[in-house]
Amino acid sequence: MSGRSTMSRSEVELQHAESPAPHVLPLESCSAEQHQRVGGKARGLYELIALGLPVPAGFVVTADAFRHSMSAAGADARIAALIERDDLSDDDKSRQAQKLVRELVLAPELVEQVGAAYAQLGGRPVAVRSSGIAEDTAAASFAGQHDTYLWVEGTDAVCELVVRCWASLYNANAIVYRSRFDVPDEDVAMAVVVQRMIPAVAAGVMMTLEPVTGDRSKIFIESAHGLGEGVVVGDVLSDRFWVDKPTLLRHRQSISVQTSRHAFDPAQGRVVVQDLDPEIGRRASIDEELLLEIAALGREIESAFGTAMDVEWAVSADREVFLLQARPETVWSNRPPREESRTAARTPGSPAAAERTTMHESLNPDWYYSTANLGEAAPGVLAPLSWSVWGPGAEIAARYGFVRMGVLEKAKSGIPKNPHERFVTIAFGRAVASVSAFYEMGERIPGAGGDKIAESLLGSVPDGMTSHPTKRRYLHVAWNMPRAFIRAKRVLTRQHVEIAEWWRCELARNPRLSLTEAQAQFLDACDKFQKATAVQAQGNIVAVPPVLEQLEKLVQRTGMRERFGQLTAGGGDHAETDVIADLWDLAKGRLDEAEFLARHGYHGAMEGDIAGMVWREDPEQVRRLAALYRKQDDSKDPRVTAVERAREREAAEAELLARVGLLQRPSAWLVLRLARRNMPLRGLGKVNFLRSLDIARAAARRIGALLVVDGVLDDIDDVMYLTTDELSRTIPADARALVAERKAEHARYRGYELPTAFWGKPIPAVRDIAGGRPSAGVDRVSGIGVSAGVVEGIIRVVTDPTFAEVEPGEVLVATTTDPSWAPIMLVSAALVVDIGGMLSHAAVVARELGLPCVVNSGNGTSVLRTGDRVRVDGAAGTVDVLERAR
């Protein structure tokens, strides 16, 4: 177990006060008086040592060494001038400033001091961590902004990485962060902590409050097998524990089946992510004894520091606990008490009420946002419970995909505290994505660029979007992208099998769950959803777009642009078309309803919203669709259609290969093969997160039913107006009042029209409930043609996703679609959708069915009207009005 020092704080200070090294200090000397020399991280470790707590031995290269080196080279003045320049972006400032720092040459006496201190640690592996003198104050935490290096050996390597840590003081995020918190120029300096490396068998983080709710009666501990880097950056699965602070009893836990860990690889000489022995991965990373020992340390640290704390820790092979870092928690500690915040949010006209609710978040005024990408998966005005699941899941997913690709730094894989920095947010109840953030990611991808990312999301590049291409992540992409590309299908397929079985088992036991068990099921579903969206992002961002891009280049070069739809259809094993085939069998008596629902019951109207009613809950939707199918002749059999699409594809592939030169034929063949392999991955990933959402839905409604019985709520679906935190823990005493307020807000937002894309905060318009006439003289709608074919037909503007009024042979016009639309598309003449792209659900299914389809029309649902007779050209992307409805 952990050993403790018996030295008092005063004895520690006296022992090292007489002759401290000029630019290198032992951790035991980094007292409060030395803060401007040693920084927040070193001072935090000093406090732990002075308390007699277990901290790995180490030393600090002081900020004086940084200042001296910068001044001697004249780099400080040059960088100060760079930062003040208005004509440079933050990325440009960062790039130039870091180059100046990395060119610094350490003075021989400093190298000698570092070498001597390193030798005193036994010359063994060490961790090299940045310790900025302005970081981890009570006002702001710079966690993750500066560099850390693990398993470093040798004086030369330590010195090199000290300079790299100094350079990280000027990464773009740190520059912006200091500006936002008005950090004075004199505080811009960097010390570096060097500590003996702990070869941890388990490690993680601890917060002495509940990080989601701010509950100060709980201690939260997140742990993983191996080194703690995986927990910090979030690229491995982890276990989570909640401990009651007063009693030090475990409150609850969530144990993951871990498949990988961070560990040192002697062959590569560095820390890598390794596959974990399945037998170990199935076990909790720490047992009850270690959990409570770590929690006890957290309580002691908080008591000594007098504030909630954020602590990093590690456990060695002999079960000794070490503390690696301790800093003040800066989110909840700077907020008013929960009741005060809630009152402010409810006060009409208050800034909290105007700026932020459970269904509306503060948006970055300098960013361009769009509902197009998320509107398909999470459509319409979301229930508060849905957004509290979708928000974290979508943010983590977007970042995970770019991290796996190498485009985004691992340190940025978590959810930013500042909503202005998030890729995904909510505006007036609608999920929106930051096109600006995705554009920036595109600027880091070799051969891509922000314009291509914007076009894939919106169909065009917004006016005012400024390009700032950078090559700084190219090496990371070159290293990470191929591996992530190769692994994408295997990871998605494995998850698909696991979640399918889990979905069936959880649905079977749901009706018997107690309130506590249903809450645990809900949290488990939320965890599965986050993992499913993250893995899907790997497919969406890593596996599909590169193949699609190469295929587009091929068809352009060979003059086969009109055959693009055929080349991306007919590949088989699309999850969306499986639903159609099974529904056809149901209609024709070859499959019974129970089996159909056992396979596809998670689909249904608004299935991306937990508040939606899916087929397993309301089979009437399925029966209505089956009745439509029953009237169709055998020519509409989806399997016949699939065979036709496959033949068309094979013919198109043969023609394309005949048109390319002999030398280019192998690479063209590979692109075609990869298109068949990877195109279905988007649908597979979507099934995984929809099944996870469905268990969250079942658990929520089970909780709702129990709360109605207990008299806490009036209606089962009132739970949809609570949040994840409120639903999964102690139900708020004022639950009825919260539900009433949020129902009113939800209804108000449903009455708003939001632009599909906008800069900064959107200005909603009040919806015309009566439905006005189409704009005079507007007889053409244009968008992106995603499935070729020309057809004339009668319009049906679909506002009811149960398709109660849809008739076979109509041209369907909708704002967006989700997978539950696939069955109705089989009996429709064409499809027109306001938002979407080449890989949207509507586009994929339309190509498989040979259905003319136009997406990204923008205004189809407002210009066209039920009863209009139109001509749809699915290749040109146009819809012409031939005759207006009377």
Side-chain angles (χ1 to χ4, degrees):
M1 295 298 155
S2 62
R4 292 184 178 235
S5 167
T6 58
M7 240 184 282
S8 70
R9 177 180 300 196
S10 59
E11 288 172 328
V12 169
E13 291 174 356
L14 284 172
Q15 178 176 324
H16 296 281
E18 296 179 0
S19 56
H23 290 324
V24 174
L25 292 176
L27 285 175
E28 293 87 345
S29 295
C30 299
S31 61
E33 294 75 15
Q34 300 288 348
H35 181 79
Q36 291 299 307
R37 301 183 67 204
V38 301
K41 190 175 276 93
R43 181 185 169 187
L45 291 170
Y46 164 82
E47 297 286 350
L48 297 177
I49 293 169
L51 289 168
L53 300 180
V55 175
F59 62 90
V60 179
V61 180
T62 70
D64 291 342
F66 168 81
R67 295 186 183 102
H68 177 79
S69 300
M70 292 282 285
S71 177
D76 49 357
R78 295 171 67 184
I79 289 175
L82 268 176
I83 301 300
E84 292 299 316
R85 288 180 59 176
D86 294 330
D87 60 326
L88 293 178
S89 68
D90 291 328
D91 279 339
D92 289 334
K93 293 175 184 178
S94 170
R95 188 161 44 249
Q96 295 183 40
Q98 290 194 64
K99 182 175 184 294
L100 288 171
V101 177
R102 285 175 178 161
E103 290 172 350
L104 294 176
V105 177
L106 299 188
E109 57 269 26
L110 177 57
V111 174
E112 183 179 346
Q113 291 170 28
V114 170
Y118 176 68
Q120 287 182 358
L121 296 181
R124 291 185 292 176
V126 294
V128 180
R129 294 185 170 96
S130 305
S131 182
I133 64 170
E135 74 179 27
D136 303 335
T137 65
S141 170
F142 281 66
Q145 302 293 330
H146 303 139
D147 284 355
T148 290
Y149 299 94
L150 303 179
W151 224 285
V152 182
E153 296 185 77
T155 300
D156 290 345
V158 171
C159 289
E160 178 187 346
L161 296 178
V162 165
V163 174
R164 288 197 191 178
C165 286
W166 290 350
S168 73
L169 191 61
Y170 297 103
N171 70 51
N173 277 352
I175 292 171
V176 173
Y177 213 73
R178 288 194 294 269
S179 174
R180 175 148 55 88
F181 284 99
D182 297 320
V183 177
D185 289 343
E186 59 268 23
D187 286 350
V188 180
M190 176 72 74
V192 179
V193 173
V194 180
Q195 278 182 288
R196 182 168 65 85
M197 189 74 211
I198 303 300
V201 295
V205 298
M206 165 171 53
M207 298 190 76
T208 61
L209 50 67
E210 211 293 333
V212 176
T213 66
D215 182 356
R216 287 164 171 79
S217 72
K218 299 293 185 293
I219 293 173
F220 173 75
I221 295 172
E222 189 170 8
S223 171
H225 293 284
L227 301 176
E229 185 75 358
V231 176
V232 174
V233 304
D235 62 351
V236 300
L237 300 177
S238 58
D239 302 326
R240 294 175 294 166
F241 306 88
W242 290 261
V243 177
D244 184 70
K245 193 184 298 179
T247 63
L248 285 182
L249 295 175
R250 177 168 53 82
H251 177 63
R252 64 185 180 89
Q253 65 183 28
S254 174
I255 306 300
S256 299
V257 178
Q258 298 179 33
T259 58
S260 57
R261 67 176 177 182
H262 282 254
F264 179 70
D265 183 352
Q268 299 186 52
R270 61 188 181 89
V271 172
V272 298
V273 179
Q274 299 176 339
D275 289 338
L276 185 61
D277 181 341
E279 194 62 37
I280 296 174
R282 282 192 288 270
R283 298 198 297 262
S285 48
I286 53 174
D287 58 27
E288 187 87 355
E289 184 180 2
L290 283 171
L291 169 69
L292 299 184
E293 180 179 352
I294 294 164
L297 289 170
R299 187 172 68 175
E300 184 175 351
I301 293 167
E302 181 184 76
S303 177
F305 279 73
T307 186
M309 297 294 290
D310 183 348
V311 180
E312 293 181 23
W313 53 269
V315 178
S316 65
D318 57 1
R319 296 175 61 81
E320 188 171 3
V321 178
F322 289 90
L323 302 173
L324 309 180
Q325 185 167 301
R327 55 178 173 255
E329 190 275 340
T330 59
V331 179
W332 289 101
S333 300
N334 292 313
R335 292 185 184 180
R338 190 174 180 183
E339 283 306 312
E340 181 184 335
S341 299
R342 182 178 288 176
T343 301
R346 293 178 188 172
T347 304
S350 73
E355 188 64 17
R356 188 175 183 182
T357 70
T358 56
M359 289 179 276
H360 181 69
E361 187 60 89
S362 174
L363 273 65
N364 189 326
D366 298 323
W367 275 6
Y368 194 79
Y369 292 94
S370 172
T371 61
N373 193 257
L374 278 171
E376 181 181 290
V381 178
L382 296 174
L385 185 62
S386 282
W387 175 247
S388 67
V389 175
W390 260 111
E395 183 72 27
I396 289 171
R399 291 172 178 271
Y400 178 83
F402 286 119
V403 167
R404 298 296 294 174
M405 193 176 184
V407 172
L408 185 65
E409 299 87 340
K410 288 183 179 179
K412 298 179 184 177
S413 60
I415 301 174
K417 295 181 177 70
N418 184 353
H420 288 190
E421 298 171 3
R422 293 175 193 158
F423 287 18
V424 175
T425 187
I426 190 166
F428 300 102
R430 279 86 168 176
V432 298
S434 169
V435 179
S436 297
F438 282 89
Y439 188 96
E440 182 187 344
M441 295 299 100
E443 296 286 77
R444 303 176 176 196
I445 302 173
D451 287 357
K452 287 187 178 179
I453 296 292
E455 286 175 357
S456 69
L457 292 174
L458 302 173
S460 61
V461 180
D463 292 336
M465 197 71 76
T466 306
S467 177
H468 293 290
T470 174
K471 296 181 179 179
R472 67 188 181 90
R473 298 296 299 178
Y474 277 18
L475 288 177
H476 297 275
V477 175
W479 173 254
N480 287 281
M481 178 74 171
R483 293 185 300 161
F485 182 87
I486 291 168
R487 294 180 58 193
K489 182 172 184 178
R490 175 164 52 87
V491 172
L492 264 170
T493 304
R494 183 174 62 209
Q495 186 185 71
H496 183 71
V497 172
E498 292 171 355
I499 287 185
E501 181 60 27
W502 168 81
W503 175 70
R504 284 189 287 270
C505 292
E506 293 300 305
L507 278 184
R509 72 186 192 92
N510 174 265
R512 303 186 300 275
L513 298 180
S514 66
L515 178 60
T516 302
E517 290 169 337
Q519 288 174 317
Q521 185 184 59
F522 179 80
L523 284 175
D524 184 36
C526 293
D527 186 56
K528 288 282 197 305
F529 174 75
Q530 286 195 4
K531 292 169 184 173
T533 51
V535 171
Q536 191 209 19
Q538 183 175 343
N540 285 359
I541 295 173
V542 177
V544 178
V547 175
L548 193 67
E549 182 182 344
Q550 292 304 313
L551 185 58
E552 286 178 329
K553 289 179 179 178
L554 264 180
V555 298
Q556 292 286 5
R557 194 165 72 242
T558 55
M560 292 181 62
R561 188 70 187 83
E562 76 286 351
R563 307 288 294 275
F564 183 80
Q566 294 174 347
L567 290 165
T568 54
D573 51 281
H574 279 276
E576 295 95 335
T577 53
D578 287 345
V579 182
I580 301 173
D582 282 350
L583 185 58
W584 183 268
D585 286 347
L586 173 65
K588 301 301 182 180
R590 295 192 288 267
L591 186 70
D592 63 45
E593 184 179 281
E595 179 59 26
F596 179 85
L597 294 175
R599 297 179 188 179
H600 309 293
Y602 55 89
H603 285 309
M606 306 297 287
E607 60 193 19
D609 189 340
I610 293 177
M613 190 70 68
V614 293
W615 292 342
R616 63 172 178 78
E617 298 173 299
D618 180 17
E620 191 56 39
Q621 300 176 45
V622 174
R623 293 164 190 157
R624 188 181 303 119
L625 290 165
L628 287 176
Y629 276 29
R630 218 167 279 126
K631 299 175 183 177
Q632 308 301 308
D633 60 42
D634 290 344
S635 64
K636 279 286 187 179
D637 187 328
R639 292 183 179 84
V640 173
T641 304
V643 171
E644 292 174 359
R645 296 290 85 75
R647 286 179 185 144
E648 290 172 357
R649 179 173 189 151
E650 289 169 1
E653 288 176 344
E655 183 178 346
L656 186 146
L657 291 173
R659 290 191 183 192
V660 299
L662 194 60
L663 294 178
Q664 290 79 38
R665 198 164 293 166
S667 60
W669 176 85
L670 179 61
V671 169
L672 293 172
R673 182 182 178 190
L674 288 173
R676 285 196 183 209
R677 175 185 182 271
N678 288 11
M679 287 292 288
L681 295 184
R682 289 172 62 93
L684 204 63
K686 197 170 291 184
V687 167
N688 293 342
F689 78 65
L690 283 174
R691 281 177 169 149
S692 304
L693 272 185
D694 191 40
I695 297 302
R697 175 185 295 113
R701 288 201 163 108
R702 175 63 179 165
I703 294 168
L706 295 170
L707 294 179
V708 169
V709 170
D710 291 342
V712 177
L713 296 177
D714 298 321
D715 184 81
I716 291 175
D717 271 12
D718 283 352
V719 294
M720 302 302 172
Y721 296 91
L722 299 178
T723 64
T724 295
D725 174 50
E726 294 163 347
L727 190 67
S728 60
R729 294 173 177 84
T730 302
I731 306 298
D734 56 348
R736 276 192 173 88
L738 283 174
V739 168
E741 291 167 8
R742 291 170 185 170
K743 278 185 176 179
E745 182 184 19
H746 194 264
R748 185 169 70 252
Y749 288 163
R750 284 204 314 271
Y752 290 166
E753 293 278 8
L754 222 61
T756 302
F758 49 86
W759 283 101
K761 183 177 178 179
I763 301 175
V766 177
R767 186 188 300 274
D768 181 2
I769 301 298
R773 295 184 62 82
S775 303
V778 179
D779 290 323
R780 166 170 279 196
V781 170
S782 297
I784 303 172
V786 294
S787 182
V790 178
V791 69
E792 294 184 7
I794 303 298
I795 288 289
R796 171 74 65 179
V797 178
V798 181
T799 56
D800 175 11
T802 64
F803 315 116
E805 298 180 353
V806 174
E807 295 292 337
E810 293 180 323
V811 175
L812 305 188
V813 179
T815 301
T816 185
T817 68
D818 60 38
S820 69
W821 281 66
I824 199 66
M825 291 168 64
L826 179 72
V827 296
S828 302
L831 182 65
V832 181
V833 189
D834 284 352
I835 62 178
M838 185 62 71
L839 293 179
S840 64
H841 162 78
V844 171
V845 177
R847 287 194 291 269
E848 288 298 313
L849 297 177
L851 184 75
C853 182
V854 176
V855 302
N856 205 43
S857 68
N859 60 354
T861 52
S862 58
V863 171
L864 302 172
R865 187 171 61 175
T866 295
D868 288 348
R869 185 167 167 271
V870 298
R871 179 186 294 112
V872 178
D873 188 330
T878 57
V879 183
D880 291 304
V881 178
L882 304 178
E883 183 181 351
R884 286 289 185 183
R886 295 183 180 180

